[in-house]
Amino acid sequence: MASYAFGSLTVTDTFNNVTNTLGTVTIPPGSSTFTYPRTVNNAPGGTCTSYTNTATILQTGQNASRTVTVCNTSTGALTMGFWQNKNGQGIISGGAASAGTCNSGTYLRGYAPYQDLSATATCANVATYVYNVIKLASSAGDSMNPMLKAQTLATALDVYFSDPGLGGNKINAPAPIGGDSIDLTKICTNIPTCTTFINSSSAFGGATSMTVNQILTYAASQSTGSGSVWYAQVKATQELAKDVFDAINNQVAFAP
């Protein structure tokens, strides 16, 4: 414990490598409170940035630090409700096609749960398919297949229509969503307040983080064609996976 004779102490504050003087403390009584605001830059979408603030007594060298972490979950993903409404439906039905077959449909059929979509579906057919899958979304019963299928489908559409190399960035995402890395150990379950989190890594082979593309691929690998059997019909595991896609779609998934 450093000691100091009667007089005054100067307190400084260091933040973002910039040091400022907060004021002085007279001894005795030797107690004072300094209140001041700090403004931090928003973290890039889907990432977290930590900031450390350190107060120091110049005469004794004593210091105290606190670190806060600012997270920006705004990756540009959109919910399944968006893909069912007229705006999302318009994006799908207005998508590119090759020889009459909708390109987004071909992309979706690359994942096992959506292989019940016709291989020759027009973009209007794909929009109707999406509408009906989301309409059936439910977590009731012995399995969560309908809800998991709808949430996963929304994520797949977010990926496809945020990537200039796929369907174009039709949803104005800051970057292609498929490349966003997601922390699977901290998944928000009480959207949108996000005060409760779960660890969903067991639904993804124990991985602590994956990109959205990897998450889609892994979840699809646990499904038979059309999603009729998914995660061996273990509802608890299906729910862990569903929560990941729900968090992504609601922009409350965090980077590792």
Side-chain angles (χ1 to χ4, degrees), residues 138-146 235 238:
S138 172
S139 57
D142 295 332
S143 80
M144 198 169 286
N145 286 8
K235 188 173 182 179
Q238 293 171 346

Side-chain angles (χ1 to χ4, degrees), residues 1-5 7-14 19-27 29-32 34 36 53-65:
M1 179 77 179
S3 60
Y4 192 73
S8 63
L9 299 175
T10 301
V11 181
T12 65
D13 176 77
T14 301
T19 300
N20 295 297
T21 299
L22 294 178
T24 58
V25 180
T26 301
I27 301 178
S31 177
S32 186
F34 300 98
Y36 50 94
N53 194 93
T54 303
T56 303
I57 300 174
L58 282 183
Q59 288 81 359
T60 65
Q62 292 170 290
N63 64 76
S65 297

Side-chain angles (χ1 to χ4, degrees), residues 116-206:
D116 55 345
L117 173 61
S118 170
T120 58
T122 66
C123 288
N125 295 152
V126 175
T128 299
Y129 173 85
V130 170
Y131 182 92
N132 289 332
V133 168
I134 295 172
K135 183 179 180 179
L136 293 173
S138 172
S139 57
D142 295 332
S143 80
M144 198 169 286
N145 286 8
M147 180 63 75
L148 177 57
K149 185 172 182 176
Q151 291 286 7
T152 308
L153 177 58
T155 301
L157 291 167
D158 288 335
V159 169
Y160 185 80
F161 286 111
S162 68
D163 192 334
L166 293 173
N169 188 10
K170 303 298 185 182
I171 62 174
N172 297 317
I177 291 170
D180 289 337
S181 186
I182 304 299
D183 184 348
L184 296 172
T185 69
K186 189 177 182 181
I187 298 300
C188 168
T189 57
N190 60 330
I191 298 168
T193 56
C194 285
T195 56
T196 303
F197 298 89
I198 60 169
N199 185 336
S200 287
S201 60
S202 62
F204 295 91

